[in-house]
Amino acid sequence: MASSPKQGDPSSSICISQQWSEAAETIAYGYVVSHPPIALICGPKNSGKSTFSRHLINVLLKRYRKVGYLDTDVGQPEFTAAGLLSFTVVDTLTSDLAVPCLKTPERCLFFGDISSKRDPTTYVKYICTIYDYYQKEYMLNMGKSSGKTELPLVVNTPGWVKGVGYDILVDMLKYIAPTHVVKINISSERKNLPAGPFWLGEDDYGREVNLLEIPACQDSFNRSLPAQKDSHLLRDIRIMAYFRQCFPSNFNITTIKELANAIASHPPYQVSISTIHIRHLHCQVPRSEIFYSLNATIVGLAVTSERSEDVPWCVGLGIVRGIDKFKDLLYVITPVTPSTLQKVDLLLQGFIEIPICLLQVQGCMSPYMSTNVLATS
């Protein structure tokens, strides 16, 4: 039996089942320990992991002032554009669970692809790095002079749960060791994860496990809610929403065509090539072809660490709009602030593509060459 949505409720556009409500309440209120809960949500594609995660955040926010969200789904992230692994601190209720929304993550890493298939090792390493950040900043240093409070954590995972995807999920579960694991099942049994605490081995015998198995939430037409999503379209929408941030919120942009023209005429930042390192992810590019491959692409804007073993944190995304080797300049469009952009010393190129609709600009000069530019200093 589903709970009836109420007007004004954060989840009023989605009918949350009784099993989902009970699972969320159990995580938020049923685990009495000295530290807030860490809940990992897993299940096959189109099972509703993102929707349940956002519902769980809303329930946790009724008890805690803030909630941490670790997003490991590079193909369909909740609060960022595709290709990013991120940790976001959420302090407000989600008004509508069915509507995507962008938030600025506290920390993120640019993986540069919509799936972990190309490089599972780096993918897992990045997840562990972000989780270590959460532990250090919000768990291990509490009581010291950090000025931060402990946060509950919700970990959303991708729907690739077979083969290598299954192995990756097991690695994540073992490293994070969540207080709760929510496993969502769909009607097709062969697509579901194994029953029980599937990630535990013989060495984990006797370990306490809080495993909650719940069915996928269905809408009034008996279809899985996320099944109606067009993954490619959603990725394009998130990218467009991200670069919409280049303009003030009151700037009159109501259509995709208007956004495309606005971006095409937007003054890019000019960045000195000699001050920037370029790294191609998941592939090798001949030195002579580096700038050809970089032009008209989306890149991760990253800051390297003084310690070579540290991975570079990403501060945002940019579109390389033009390259002038004679002037030693790159032209970059990004909503990242100039003060933050000045710290960027690494461009990461992966396989995140510019939406085709943003390239189809009529009646203006090429979107990739322009004389109206902004300096970063």
Side-chain angles (χ1 to χ4, degrees):
M1 180 178 178
S3 58
S4 300
K6 299 177 182 179
Q7 188 69 25
D9 278 359
S11 56
S12 60
S13 68
I14 290 181
C15 194
I16 300 299
S17 70
Q18 182 176 338
Q19 294 99 319
W20 280 32
S21 295
E22 291 175 352
E25 294 288 332
T26 297
I27 295 169
Y29 299 101
Y31 194 66
V32 183
V33 292
S34 57
H35 299 293
I38 297 174
L40 184 144
I41 320 303
C42 57
K45 293 179 181 179
N46 297 328
S47 59
K49 296 182 296 299
S50 294
T51 304
F52 179 83
S53 295
R54 293 176 75 176
H55 172 65
L56 176 58
I57 289 173
N58 282 342
V59 174
L60 287 167
L61 283 173
K62 296 176 182 178
R63 179 177 180 182
Y64 302 92
R65 290 193 306 113
K66 298 178 180 180
V67 178
Y69 187 80
L70 173 52
D71 202 333
T72 69
D73 190 347
V74 290
Q76 296 295 336
E78 194 60 37
F79 298 129
T80 68
L84 293 168
L85 295 159
S86 63
F87 170 72
T88 304
V89 177
V90 184
D91 59 4
T92 56
L93 295 173
T94 301
S95 59
D96 192 334
L97 300 183
V99 177
C101 62
L102 287 179
K103 294 182 182 293
T104 301
E106 184 166 312
R107 282 291 187 272
C108 71
L109 293 170
F110 184 70
F111 183 71
D113 204 351
I114 60 173
S115 170
S116 60
K117 292 179 181 179
R118 293 183 195 269
D119 193 350
T121 301
T122 297
Y123 174 81
V124 173
K125 176 185 177 181
Y126 279 12
I127 291 172
C128 295
T129 298
I130 297 177
Y131 180 71
D132 288 345
Y133 170 84
Y134 158 76
Q135 281 285 323
K136 178 182 177 182
E137 295 295 319
Y138 291 97
M139 300 297 281
L140 301 180
N141 287 334
M142 296 305 101
K144 301 181 181 179
S145 57
S146 67
K148 298 179 180 178
T149 58
E150 287 186 323
L151 289 183
L153 181 68
V154 177
V155 184
N156 188 32
T157 61
W160 184 28
V161 296
K162 300 297 180 181
V164 176
Y166 174 84
D167 296 335
I168 291 173
L169 179 60
V170 170
D171 288 343
M172 289 170 52
L173 281 160
K174 289 185 175 181
Y175 191 86
I176 294 173
T179 61
H180 296 79
V181 176
V182 178
K183 185 163 76 71
I184 304 179
N185 298 317
I186 61 176
S187 57
S188 178
E189 289 292 337
R190 64 183 181 82
K191 295 182 179 180
N192 288 325
L193 286 160
F198 58 89
W199 66 97
L200 298 182
E202 295 180 359
D203 296 339
D204 301 303
Y205 180 77
R207 181 175 170 183
E208 182 180 355
V209 176
N210 292 288
L211 175 62
L212 304 171
E213 298 199 40
I214 56 177
C217 197
Q218 306 292 310
D219 66 8
S220 58
F221 295 96
N222 198 35
R223 296 175 297 192
S224 179
L225 287 168
Q228 311 307 313
K229 296 179 180 178
D230 182 323
S231 298
H232 189 274
L233 177 60
L234 277 179
R235 281 192 286 272
D236 282 356
I237 289 174
R238 288 184 183 278
I239 289 174
M240 288 187 287
Y242 180 82
F243 287 102
R244 169 65 176 82
Q245 297 175 120
C246 291
F247 311 97
S249 57
N250 60 354
F251 197 80
N252 187 25
I253 299 177
T254 58
T255 66
I256 294 176
K257 183 178 180 180
E258 288 174 349
L259 177 61
N261 280 278
I263 291 177
S265 58
H266 188 60
Y269 292 102
Q270 54 183 15
V271 182
S272 174
I273 295 175
S274 58
T275 63
I276 292 289
H277 297 284
I278 299 169
R279 184 182 303 172
H280 297 272
L281 306 177
H282 318 303
C283 69
Q284 292 185 346
V285 176
R287 193 173 187 84
S288 60
E289 303 292 326
I290 287 178
F291 293 115
Y292 291 107
S293 67
L294 194 65
N295 196 24
T297 64
I298 291 178
V299 293
L301 308 175
V303 180
T304 58
S305 170
E306 294 180 356
R307 299 189 304 176
S308 59
E309 69 273 14
D310 290 347
V311 296
W313 291 116
C314 181
V315 298
L317 301 179
I319 295 176
V320 179
R321 174 165 162 171
I323 301 172
D324 192 329
K325 293 174 63 177
F326 296 102
K327 292 183 179 180
D328 189 47
L329 291 176
L330 290 170
Y331 299 104
V332 179
I333 298 173
T334 178
V336 174
T337 62
S339 59
T340 300
L341 194 59
Q342 286 179 358
K343 303 173 185 176
V344 172
D345 58 0
L346 177 64
L347 299 186
L348 301 171
Q349 183 186 8
F351 295 96
I352 306 303
E353 299 178 346
I354 301 175
I356 297 296
C357 56
L358 295 185
L359 303 176
Q360 298 171 335
V361 181
Q362 302 294 329
C364 72
M365 63 194 306
S366 168
Y368 310 116
M369 294 302 296
S370 179
T371 56
N372 57 331
V373 298
L374 298 172
T376 59
S377 60

